[in-house]
Amino acid sequence: MPETLKFHFTPADPPRPDEANPHAKESTQVADVIDQLRDAFGEAIGEQVVYAGEHTVFVDKARLLEIAQHLKAELGFVYFVDCGGVDRFTDEDRFEVFYNLVNVADRKRLRLKVRVDEDDLHVPSVVSVWKAADWNEREVYDMMGLIFDGHPDLRRMYMPEDFDYFPQRKEFPLLGIPGSLPLPPQTPRGPLTMDPYAAAHGSKPVKSYEEPKSEEEE
Amino acid sequence: MAFDMKEGYLTTTVDAVLNWARSNSLMPMPMGLACCAIEMMAFAGPKYDVARFGSEAMRFSPRQADLMLVAGWCSFKMAHTIRRVWDQMPDPKWCVAMGACASTGGMHRCYGVVQGIDNFLPVDVYISGCPPRPEAVLHALMDIQEKIRNEYSVVDDYEFGQEQPVPTTQNNALLLPEGETIITPNVLENQ
């Protein structure tokens, strides 16, 4: 009986003290910004994590938009660097969205994180605050299936628009689901090739075919 | 061929003359998809100089090309475009899968990349390498020339243009090691 493939998690690194990160910059030490946020929003600002000399703060999903507006207008975080999704594959708060923000004038870098539960995949969109979030949020939607409320144009980014699955979720098979992504037909008028391994299963595309008729002839 | 014969004529076959002309004037359609395309440019450039083999005229319109060089990894989305471009090339035509990715999917063993363009295109020559050296591309071109001289006949032109049967496969499941469950389209719903 051959052994079935196991699912391997990447082991978590133990936390290390700040001074152990030779690349840590002063700009990522933003405890003061997080304190200011806490003063303004109180309970909505959650846990604060320092890892490798970088401050990360978890915020409440419901008040994300307010916090984003405050960060941009009052605290000067005008540069939206990046945003992405994480599938933690846990029972509760399965997904996570991170936002990397920069205050260019004061040279500060902040990472915001939002936890999203599998039962409620909605996240407020921050496109109204930072225009740059547009395509990043589309990418997270495409790969993870998180729905960004208030996004102006929430379409798939990479996968075809009629694709049914979210490929970066942990349960998605690495080689995809047969039949979900059709290959082109083997002849111009033939049906789509639904088998992704047609060649391995003995199909050999024909060298030539009936030439498609011109529009005048049809 | 002896041109200095006093008789002033020589005998040959139509195939020999046409294939000689065809093989020495291949017009490649550069389907550059990834880093292999850089090597393909070197192959066309002055150092490796494909002009020595008569293929220096890269045609960016498929209607003027008779050799398609698929260079780089091909996603399922791009496959439809490539097939469309291929369909627009006039017969007779040839196809080269350049590099590991175009031939087999290469290191991109994942859901988004076609595991070899021969799943939807009739490939004549595969080139190994990641990316292949320009010499290897030249060698593939010489193989195509060889193929034209030895395998192609103008009689094929009669056959070309006729409707041919669509090849089909019955097996829609992934090739899996023994004992593993077969992944079907409703695999996620059953969890």
Side-chain angles (χ1 to χ4, degrees), chain B residues 36-81:
Chain B
C36 277
I38 306 297
E39 298 299 298
M40 190 170 60
M41 287 188 260
F43 145 87
K47 180 157 180 179
Y48 294 95
D49 198 13
V50 72
R52 292 176 292 159
F53 303 93
S55 284
E56 74 279 15
M58 292 267 186
R59 290 295 164 200
F60 294 91
S61 161
R63 288 163 197 275
Q64 299 169 346
D66 54 5
L67 169 69
M68 186 192 247
L69 286 162
V70 182
W73 60 275
C74 160
S75 67
F76 278 84
K77 250 175 144 178
M78 191 65 191
H80 295 263
T81 313

Side-chain angles (χ1 to χ4, degrees), chain B residues 92-103:
Chain B
K93 55 194 173 186
W94 290 271
C95 179
V96 173
M98 177 180 174
C101 303
S103 304

Side-chain angles (χ1 to χ4, degrees), chain A:
Chain A
M1 184 71 189
E3 199 186 356
T4 50
L5 290 175
K6 290 196 182 68
F7 190 90
H8 294 287
F9 285 97
T10 310
D13 292 340
R16 55 185 180 186
D18 292 349
E19 57 267 23
N21 179 7
H23 307 294
K25 299 275 194 312
E26 243 177 69
S27 56
T28 57
Q29 304 277 2
V30 288
D32 54 326
V33 174
I34 296 170
D35 287 341
Q36 279 172 300
L37 275 181
R38 225 179 273 280
D39 291 341
F41 292 95
E43 288 292 303
I45 309 298
E47 196 193 346
Q48 169 183 341
V49 180
V50 186
Y51 175 71
E54 297 176 3
H55 278 75
T56 303
V57 63
F58 288 89
V59 303
D60 185 10
K61 188 177 84 173
R63 298 188 69 186
L64 174 66
L65 196 58
E66 283 173 65
I67 293 168
Q69 280 159 350
H70 184 78
L71 275 170
K72 189 180 182 186
E74 310 294 330
L75 302 179
F77 283 85
V78 289
Y79 176 24
F80 179 95
V81 184
D82 191 16
C83 132
V86 182
D87 184 358
R88 302 159 64 234
F89 213 50
T90 51
D91 284 338
E92 283 188 11
D93 288 342
R94 178 173 163 184
F95 297 101
E96 192 172 83
V97 186
F98 66 84
Y99 301 87
N100 288 342
L101 308 169
V102 166
N103 180 337
V104 182
D106 297 343
R107 304 176 64 174
K108 282 175 181 168
R109 287 173 180 272
L110 174 67
R111 187 178 296 119
L112 278 189
K113 276 188 179 178
V114 172
R115 289 266 165 93
V116 186
D117 198 76
E118 205 177 351
D119 298 328
D120 179 24
L121 292 171
H122 292 261
V123 187
S125 167
V126 295
V127 178
S128 57
V129 184
W130 296 287
K131 195 86 176 66
D134 189 340
W135 280 18
N136 291 78
E137 288 184 351
R138 272 180 65 187
E139 181 184 347
V140 176
Y141 164 68
D142 189 0
M143 292 290 138
M144 298 282 174
L146 302 184
I147 296 152
F148 289 87
D149 294 327
H151 192 282
D153 181 28
L154 196 64
R155 283 179 296 134
R156 282 191 177 267
M157 191 76 188
Y158 303 124
M159 305 306 288
E161 284 181 30
D162 57 352
F163 191 61
D164 293 331
Y165 308 95
F166 299 108
Q168 290 274 292
R169 288 190 181 177
K170 295 272 189 198
E171 79 266 18
F172 188 83
L174 179 64
L175 277 175
I177 293 169
S180 62
L181 280 172
L183 278 170
Q186 309 270 323
T187 58
R189 285 165 188 280
L192 291 170
T193 311
M194 298 314 283
D195 182 4
Y197 304 99
H201 297 149
S203 164
K204 199 167 169 14
V206 285
K207 187 70 182 164
S208 191
Y209 48 78
E210 186 184 20
E211 282 188 21
K213 290 186 173 66
S214 70
E215 281 180 12
E216 286 79 25
E217 278 177 87
E218 278 178 4

